[in-house]
C-alpha cells in the first residue's frame, strides 16, 4: 500500500503530466465554450406585443464579428415546423418552440462557426440566431384563447420586426454585407422576409437571402391527401387571419400583406401564397435556394406521413432512402421532379443561386460536416460552403446547380442529418 507521503508527493514527471492534462482540458473546454453563445431576451417585448406563444419574451443569440467581418452580419432564423390548431399551439407553448422559459445557450456550427477552417468566408462575421417561438415562420399577428382560458399569442411578425430593430441598434444598421438565412421553417421565414430584409439597407450594401431546406412543396401524399396544404392552411387561418369580426379581419389582412406577396394575394388563395413556389416569384433580392430534392423531412411528413400508407410498407424507406424499393424510388423521383420544376422558375434570375443536391437530408448549413468537411455534398466540384461563398461574393459567373436523380451523387454521405 502506498504511504501517505507518497500520495501527497507524486513523482515530478507525474506532477508535470497532471499539469499538462489539466492545461489541455482547460484549453479544450475554452475552445468548446468559445462557440457557445448565450441567449439574449428581447428588451420591452411585452410593450411591443412581440412575444412567444405563451407571452414570454422572444430571444436571440448574438456572436460579435471581428477584424474584416466587423461590419458584416448573418441573421439565421431557427426552424421547427408549425402549429396549425389551438391544440397543437397549446402543446407547443409548453416547450422551447413556444416559450423562452425553456431556451438555453446555443452552439454555433457550420455557417455560424467562428472556426476559419470550417467557415472561411463568414467565420468572423457578426452572427445572430433568432429563436423560433411563434409557430408560423415569424409571420402571424393575432391571438386566440387557449382551452384553459389563457391567451395564445401569434406574434411572429412582431417578433421579426422587434428583434431586427434591436439588432439595427446594435450595429446591423451600419452593415456593409448582410445575409438572411434560416433552416426548415426558418428557411421559409427567410423567404417570407427576404424583400423586407433587403429593403432595410442602402443599395450599396450587399444584402442577400439564403433559405436552407425551406422550400416546401404542395403535393399529394401516398393516400392522395394534400398534407402540407392542410398544415399551411391551418397555420395561415389561425395565425395570420385569426379575426373575430369584419373590422379585425380587415386589420389583420392588412398586416398579412406585409408578409405575403400582394401580387399573389390578388389572384391566388392565401394559403397557396404561403408556399415557396409562389413566394419566390415576388422576391427581388438576390437569393440562393439550398435544398435537397429528396428532403428527408418532406419525404417523411409530406410524401409518406403516418396514416397515408398501409401497414409498414413505407416505414423502412422513409427512415432511410437506401431501404427503398425501385417502385418507391419512382415515387420519390416524382417528388424530386416536382421540386425541380418549382425551383426552375428562378433559374434565369440574375444574382440568384441554386444548390439542389440529391442527398437524403434536411438542413445543411448549421452542421460542420454538411457545410464544409470531407462528408459534405459536392455539386459542380463545390462543397456547400464554397458554393455559397462563390455566390455571395460573386467569385464566379453563377452558382446554379441541380443534382441528378438518386443515387447518382457519391458525395451524399449516410452521416448527413436526416
Amino acid at each position: 500500500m502506498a504511504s501517505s507521503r507518497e500520495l501527497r508527493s507524486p513523482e515530478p514527471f507525474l506532477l508535470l503530466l497532471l499539469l499538462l492534462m489539466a492545461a489541455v482540458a482547460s484549453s479544450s473546454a475554452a475552445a468548446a465554450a468559445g462557440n457557445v453563445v448565450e441567449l439574449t431576451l428581447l428588451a420591452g417585448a411585452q410593450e411591443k406585443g412581440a412575444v412567444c406563444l405563451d407571452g414570454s419574451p422572444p430571444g436571440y443569440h448574438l456572436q460579435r464579428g471581428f477584424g474584416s467581418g466587423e461590419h458584416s452580419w448573418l441573421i439565421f432564423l431557427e426552424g421547427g415546423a408549425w402549429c396549425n390548431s389551438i391544440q397543437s399551439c397549446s402543446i407547443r407553448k409548453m416547450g422551447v418552440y413556444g416559450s423562452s422559459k425553456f431556451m438555453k445557450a446555443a452552439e454555433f456550427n457550420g455557417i455560424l462557426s467562428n472556426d476559419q477552417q470550417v467557415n472561411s468566408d463568414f467565420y468572423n462575421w457578426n452572427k445572430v440566431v433568432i429563436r423560433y417561438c411563434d409557430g408560423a415562420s415569424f409571420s402571424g399577428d393575432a391571438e386566440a384563447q387557449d382551452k384553459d382560458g389563457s391567451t395564445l399569442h401569434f406574434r411572429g411578425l412582431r417578433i421579426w420586426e422587434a428583434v431586427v430593430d434591436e439588432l439595427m441598434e446594435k450595429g446591423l444598421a451600419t452593415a456593409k454585407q448582410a445575409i438572411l438565412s434560416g433552416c426548415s421553417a426558418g428557411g421559409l421565414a427567410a423567404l417570407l422576409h427576404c424583400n423586407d430584409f433587403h429593403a432595410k439597407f442602402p443599395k450599396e450594401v450587399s444584402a442577400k437571402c439564403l433559405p436552407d431546406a425551406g422550400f416546401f412543396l404542395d403535393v399529394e401524399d401516398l393516400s392522395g391527401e394534400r398534407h402540407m396544404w392542410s398544415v399551411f392552411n391551418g397555420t395561415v387561418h389561425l395565425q395570420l387571419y385569426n379575426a373575430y369580426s369584419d373590422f379585425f379581419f380587415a386589420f389583420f389582412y392588412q398586416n398579412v400583406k406585409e408578409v405575403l406577396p400582394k401580387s399573389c394575394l390578388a389572384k391566388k388563395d392565401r394559403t397557396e401564397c404561403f408556399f415557396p413556389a409562389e413566394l419566390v416569384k415576388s422576391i427581388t433580392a438576390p437569393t440562393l435556394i439550398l435544398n435537397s430534392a429528396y428532403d428527408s423531412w418532406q419525404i417523411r411528413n409530406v410524401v409518406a406521413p403516418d396514416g397515408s400508407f398501409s401497414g409498414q410498407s413505407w416505414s423502412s424507406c422513409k427512415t432511410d432512402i437506401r431501404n427503398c424499393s425501385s417502385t418507391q424510388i419512382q415515387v420519390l423521383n416524382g417528388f424530386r421532379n416536382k421540386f425541380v420544376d418549382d425551383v426552375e422558375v428562378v433559374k434565369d434570375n440574375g444574382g440568384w443561386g441554386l444548390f439542389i443536391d440529391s442527398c437524403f437530408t434536411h438542413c445543411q448549413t448549421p452542421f460542420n460536416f454538411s457545410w464544409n468537411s470531407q462528408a459534405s455534398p459536392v455539386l459542380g466540384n463545390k462543397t456547400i460552403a464554397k458554393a455559397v461563398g462563390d455566390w455571395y461574393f460573386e467569385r464566379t459567373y453563377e452558382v446554379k446547380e441541380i443534382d441528378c436523380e438518386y443515387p447518382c451523387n457519391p458525395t451524399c454521405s449516410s452521416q448527413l442529418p436526416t
Side-chain angles (χ1 to χ4, degrees):
M1 179 180 291
S3 68
S4 59
R5 177 183 177 87
E6 289 172 324
L7 289 173
R8 289 194 303 269
S9 304
E11 294 292 334
F13 78 90
L14 180 58
L15 179 60
L16 178 60
L17 179 60
L18 291 171
L19 290 172
L20 286 172
M21 290 174 64
V24 170
S26 176
S27 175
S28 298
N35 219 25
V36 173
V37 185
E38 294 300 323
L39 178 71
T40 299
L41 296 179
L42 177 68
Q46 279 78 13
E47 292 81 358
K48 299 170 184 175
V51 293
C52 299
L53 286 170
D54 71 335
S56 61
Y60 61 90
H61 307 267
L62 167 60
Q63 185 176 67
R64 287 291 185 179
F66 57 93
S68 61
E70 183 179 0
H71 295 289
S72 300
W73 287 74
L74 171 67
I75 310 299
F76 191 93
L77 302 175
E78 184 185 31
W82 309 265
C83 62
N84 61 341
S85 66
I86 295 296
Q87 181 180 8
S88 62
C89 291
S90 180
I91 295 171
R92 190 180 182 96
K93 77 174 185 179
M94 302 303 294
V96 69
Y97 291 120
S99 172
S100 61
K101 297 175 184 176
F102 304 95
M103 296 178 186
K104 299 180 180 178
E107 185 175 353
F108 281 16
N109 291 306
I111 195 173
L112 300 167
S113 174
N114 61 3
D115 185 338
Q116 188 172 3
Q117 292 185 330
V118 172
N119 192 26
S120 60
D121 282 319
F122 311 109
Y123 75 99
N124 62 349
W125 282 34
N126 295 280
K127 293 183 286 289
V128 182
V129 171
I130 303 179
R131 300 299 293 268
Y132 180 36
C133 66
D134 65 277
S137 290
F138 298 89
S139 63
D141 191 359
E143 63 182 37
Q145 188 175 35
D146 202 348
K147 293 179 180 179
D148 62 4
S150 63
T151 300
L152 283 169
H153 304 270
F154 304 136
R155 303 297 187 186
L157 177 58
R158 295 196 192 191
I159 291 172
W160 158 258
E161 292 173 340
V163 171
V164 170
D165 285 348
E166 185 163 298
L167 293 174
M168 295 291 274
E169 295 176 359
K170 293 187 174 184
L172 180 60
T174 59
K176 296 179 180 179
Q177 301 179 119
I179 295 176
L180 175 64
S181 187
C183 158
S184 193
L188 173 60
L191 289 170
L192 286 163
H193 295 292
C194 182
N195 281 343
D196 177 60
F197 180 76
H198 184 262
K200 292 183 181 297
F201 304 98
K203 291 183 179 180
E204 60 269 19
V205 174
S206 178
K208 302 184 180 183
C209 304
L210 175 63
D212 177 9
F215 207 100
F216 296 92
L217 301 191
D218 174 23
V219 296
E220 292 185 354
D221 65 22
L222 296 173
S223 68
E225 298 294 325
R226 295 165 69 188
H227 182 74
M228 202 69 233
W229 174 276
S230 177
V231 172
F232 279 2
N233 190 52
T235 300
V236 165
H237 284 81
L238 178 67
Q239 292 220 36
L240 279 68
Y241 291 91
N242 183 6
Y244 302 105
S245 68
D246 291 340
F247 172 78
F248 283 111
F249 179 83
F251 173 73
F252 288 130
Y253 187 76
Q254 285 300 116
N255 280 344
V256 167
K257 286 186 176 179
E258 297 179 20
V259 177
L260 299 182
K262 293 180 181 179
S263 57
C264 183
L265 289 173
K267 55 188 177 182
K268 292 183 180 291
D269 184 281
R270 60 192 66 151
T271 300
E272 190 171 357
C273 295
F274 201 67
F275 278 92
E278 292 300 326
L279 290 174
V280 295
K281 295 176 183 178
S282 65
I283 294 176
T284 55
T287 301
L288 186 148
I289 298 173
L290 169 62
N291 226 106
S292 167
Y294 298 87
D295 186 296
S296 57
W297 189 92
Q298 293 194 64
I299 298 302
R300 291 169 179 158
N301 297 281
V302 180
V303 177
D306 292 343
S308 68
F309 55 92
S310 59
Q312 301 296 314
S313 58
W314 274 79
S315 298
S316 181
C317 170
K318 72 175 193 172
T319 300
D320 188 333
I321 196 171
R322 293 172 296 180
N323 298 330
C324 297
S325 67
S326 57
T327 301
Q328 290 169 328
I329 290 295
Q330 288 180 1
V331 174
L332 301 189
N333 282 341
F335 175 86
R336 180 256 178 199
N337 293 339
K338 176 67 165 63
F339 190 101
V340 171
D341 287 343
D342 281 358
V343 298
E344 282 196 328
V345 69
V346 302
K347 195 171 184 179
D348 296 329
N349 289 10
W352 281 59
L354 294 171
F355 193 100
I356 311 299
D357 59 53
S358 59
C359 306
F360 188 65
T361 187
H362 180 69
C363 290
Q364 299 177 84
T365 55
F367 307 103
N368 289 349
F369 47 87
S370 51
W371 173 246
N372 187 24
S373 77
Q374 293 182 343
S376 300
V378 174
L379 285 180
N381 296 319
K382 297 177 182 181
T383 63
I384 295 173
K386 183 67 165 60
V388 170
D390 284 353
W391 161 76
Y392 182 82
F393 295 106
E394 301 177 6
R395 292 190 293 237
T396 58
Y397 172 66
E398 64 178 21
V399 176
K400 292 179 179 174
E401 301 290 344
I402 298 179
D403 210 351
C404 45
E405 293 183 349
Y406 175 86
C408 67
N409 191 336
T411 67
C412 286
S413 171
S414 61
Q415 298 177 2
L416 292 177
T418 58

